[in-house]
Amino acid sequence: MREKIGLGDSFTLRGTTLTVSRMGYGAMQLAGQDGDKRVWGPPRDIPGAIAVLREAVTSGVNHIDTSDFYGPHVTNQIIKQALHPYPNDLVIVTKVGARRDADGSWLHARSRREIIDAVHDNLRNLGLDALQVVNLRLGGFAAPEDQPFEEPLSALAELKQQGLVRHIGLSTVSPRQLAEAQAITEIICIQNLYNIAQRGDDPFIDDLATQGIAYVPYFPLGGFSPLQSAALDAASASLQATPVQVALAWLLQRAPNILLIPGTSSIGHLRENLAAAKLKLPTGTIAELDRIASAANGAT
């Protein structure tokens, strides 16, 4: 059995008994690709995907992010095959509010019926009687949208009352939308696009920290277009680390309520990601890295 490594300090999700290491794992990349259709169908190497999940948990990861619209259904089925029955401390966070079209596109699925069906799909494919945390996905692919969401969020709140969902989060939302959502139900986490070059949520993150609400950046390494920066390369060279590790370490040091879910289908990359939790960035390095976002904004 592989020895567990330090994965940064822990964070207890607001109003819960769920305590997770701040370095987690995102399962999206466990799905396959069919031509231009990303996150679609099974991976080429299902045993390899199972091995990555087991390696993550053996190494100390106890926070896995997933969704039944990854594949669709594929990642949840692989998670169940790899890890069920689940360790007592494992927190699986899933999301609803979208569906996949036959051409691979990502469509909204926010009616009351669609939310109920999605929760039951997640329950069945994960092999669970209740989902620990469910994020309602709003907005577009990368940014919030000013659209009503009372119907899907109220449906999730009803499922919480029924015991099928224990806690609720939001994905791709603005501070105003969070405030509106909190009038309907308790929100314990936010999942938005954020990384060392995309820092529009800086004030939002600080406000969430005062509320004790977790912030989980998706695409922490740039997503389908990986981060590239001379400053990042220079910092990694000086610290004898990889650019990926520096970018992840920067996020961990950015705010105490940030939880990371970098994804990979490679055990080697998984180990590289997890090792970033042990990397401490000097103050001068952080100052240099903070300029990346300003440079990126100036180039657009």
Side-chain angles (χ1 to χ4, degrees):
M1 179 176 292
R2 186 172 174 81
E3 182 181 356
K4 292 186 178 183
I5 63 174
L7 298 183
D9 51 358
S10 60
F11 185 90
T12 300
L13 295 167
R14 171 179 166 170
T16 80
T17 59
L18 304 176
T19 299
V20 297
S21 297
R22 291 180 61 210
M23 180 69 79
Y25 174 77
M28 185 175 71
Q29 292 190 38
L30 294 183
Q33 181 171 342
D34 182 6
D36 293 333
K37 295 190 284 189
R38 297 176 181 269
V39 197
W40 186 266
R44 294 180 181 177
D45 182 6
I46 292 177
I50 291 171
V52 167
L53 284 163
R54 290 176 176 170
E55 173 84 9
V57 171
T58 299
S59 297
V61 168
N62 66 345
H63 170 203
I64 293 177
D65 179 85
T66 185
S67 175
D68 212 58
F69 54 73
Y70 294 163
H73 314 303
V74 168
T75 62
N76 280 353
Q77 292 168 353
I78 293 175
I79 289 170
K80 179 182 177 183
Q81 186 177 353
L83 302 176
H84 195 277
Y86 301 112
N88 290 334
D89 68 339
L90 181 63
V91 177
I92 298 177
V93 180
T94 189
K95 63 185 73 64
V96 298
R99 63 181 177 86
R100 306 300 297 280
D101 202 3
D103 64 0
S105 57
W106 306 68
L107 305 177
H108 296 326
R110 300 176 186 159
S111 70
R112 183 176 183 276
R113 183 73 260 167
E114 286 172 317
I115 295 299
I116 293 171
D117 289 347
V119 165
H120 282 279
D121 284 343
N122 278 277
L123 288 168
R124 180 180 63 257
N125 286 310
L126 286 168
L128 292 169
D129 295 323
L131 300 174
Q132 292 164 301
V133 184
V134 178
N135 287 325
L136 174 60
R137 182 182 185 271
L138 300 174
F141 193 70
E145 296 175 348
D146 188 14
Q147 295 182 348
F149 57 87
E150 182 177 357
E151 179 180 350
L153 186 57
S154 295
L156 266 186
E158 291 173 14
L159 292 166
K160 180 180 176 182
Q161 291 177 341
Q162 295 170 21
L164 297 178
V165 171
R166 294 197 176 120
H167 306 286
I168 296 173
L170 298 173
S171 178
T172 322
V173 296
S174 67
R176 180 184 59 77
Q177 288 172 318
L178 169 61
E180 293 175 358
Q182 288 173 316
I184 297 173
T185 189
E186 183 179 20
I187 303 298
I188 69 165
C189 55
I190 297 295
Q191 189 176 107
N192 277 8
L193 172 63
Y194 184 83
N195 55 53
I196 201 168
Q198 303 287 334
R199 297 186 56 181
D201 269 358
D202 271 339
F204 195 17
I205 290 170
D206 294 337
D207 179 63
L208 292 171
T210 66
Q211 297 184 57
I213 296 176
Y215 184 93
V216 186
Y218 65 79
F219 293 160
L221 302 172
F224 299 128
S225 299
L227 295 171
Q228 295 186 14
S229 163
L232 194 58
D233 291 340
S236 65
S238 68
L239 295 168
Q240 296 184 321
T242 68
V244 163
Q245 289 172 328
V246 172
L248 293 174
W250 179 89
L251 285 165
L252 287 174
Q253 290 182 231
R254 166 60 185 85
N257 60 322
I258 287 182
L259 309 181
L260 299 187
I261 51 168
T264 179
S265 58
S266 159
I267 285 181
H269 288 158
L270 171 70
R271 292 174 180 170
E272 177 184 325
N273 291 344
L274 299 185
K278 299 184 293 183
L279 182 63
K280 300 302 180 184
L281 305 182
T283 302
T285 299
I286 292 175
E288 288 296 324
L289 295 174
D290 283 345
R291 297 189 179 99
I292 293 176
S294 298
N297 293 335
T300 58

